[in-house]
Amino acid sequence: MDLPVAIGHKILQKQTPKINVYYPFVIGLANPQAELKINSAIVSTLNQIMVELGYHEPSLQEMVGEFEIKTNERNILSLTLTVYAYTGGAHGMTIVKALSFDVTTGTQYELKDLFKPDSDYVTVLSKIIEQKIKDWEIQLLEPFTKIRPDQDFYFADHSLVIYFQLYEITPYAWGFPYFPIPILDIQDIIQPDGPLEKLLPF
């Protein structure tokens, strides 16, 4: 069993407007280039989120950020960056972005990388999610058709978790819709020697 990656954290702070954003970084990897690639991807993604939420806007009153490590085993690191910002109005806005890496190479995974090229993973995953929407009686803004080919995801508890941003498919009050899909349920379409196969529970 590969040992977990060592994770540190940093904080971006500012008093006016009030900003407290925590973000992670990996340390001590055997491959320094992989470490640099992972940490650069984290900072770049965080910067994109903060700009999207109005970091440079005069109306920004508060911004708070945190992170969660979802998987850190078998040379796979999966994490989420969550940033909330308030610029006025009835409520603020939150964005959650997930990043998943091979820590031996620094490779960042996209959803398409997890499946066989001819698997039609979009249709397979969309049907699973459509059934969960019905089973859980989730209120939608419009009828659900399918996920994006680059839909947000992370790995956790031997599952692939597909999720949607605020307002992407549901009203604000529903928050972030998360759909955990056990890897065993989609085992026939996953990429051989890919991250999902490495995370199978056996």
Side-chain angles (χ1 to χ4, degrees), residues 29-173:
L29 293 188
N31 181 347
Q33 287 302 112
E35 185 174 308
L36 178 61
K37 285 172 68 175
I38 292 171
N39 288 332
S40 295
I42 291 171
V43 171
S44 176
T45 301
L46 181 65
N47 285 339
Q48 291 172 14
I49 297 171
M50 292 173 64
V51 169
E52 185 173 345
L53 287 174
Y55 180 75
H56 297 298
E57 298 299 322
S59 58
L60 179 66
Q61 299 179 35
E62 181 181 18
M63 180 172 283
V64 180
E66 61 182 12
F67 66 91
E68 288 188 28
I69 305 301
K70 299 297 187 178
T71 289
N72 186 9
E73 61 176 326
R74 305 182 190 184
N75 289 324
I76 302 295
L77 175 64
S78 193
L79 58 91
T80 56
L81 303 171
T82 302
V83 182
Y84 163 86
Y86 182 71
T87 56
H91 55 72
M93 188 63 180
T94 303
I95 292 176
V96 177
K97 282 295 181 182
L99 303 172
S100 297
F101 304 96
D102 179 328
V103 300
T104 63
T105 63
T107 298
Q108 182 177 344
Y109 295 112
E110 297 180 26
L111 189 60
K112 64 181 177 60
D113 301 327
L114 312 182
F115 302 99
K116 298 173 183 176
D118 59 348
S119 64
D120 192 12
Y121 70 92
V122 169
T123 297
V124 174
L125 298 179
S126 297
K127 286 181 178 178
I128 294 172
I129 291 170
E130 184 178 25
Q131 187 60 52
K132 290 180 182 292
I133 288 172
K134 292 177 181 177
D135 293 344
W136 298 343
E137 299 180 349
I138 295 174
Q139 181 184 354
L140 300 174
L141 292 171
E142 56 187 35
F144 177 76
T145 55
K146 62 182 180 179
I147 64 170
R148 304 189 320 271
D150 62 346
Q151 193 67 49
D152 294 308
F153 75 93
Y154 58 83
F155 310 126
D157 302 323
H158 305 297
S159 294
L160 170 65
V161 181
I162 301 290
Y163 71 96
F164 298 82
Q165 298 295 328
L166 296 177
Y167 295 118
E168 190 171 356
I169 63 170
T170 56
Y172 180 86

Side-chain angles (χ1 to χ4, degrees), residues 170-184:
T170 56
Y172 180 86
W174 278 81
F176 294 85
Y178 294 92
F179 299 92
I181 302 172
I183 300 173
L184 287 173

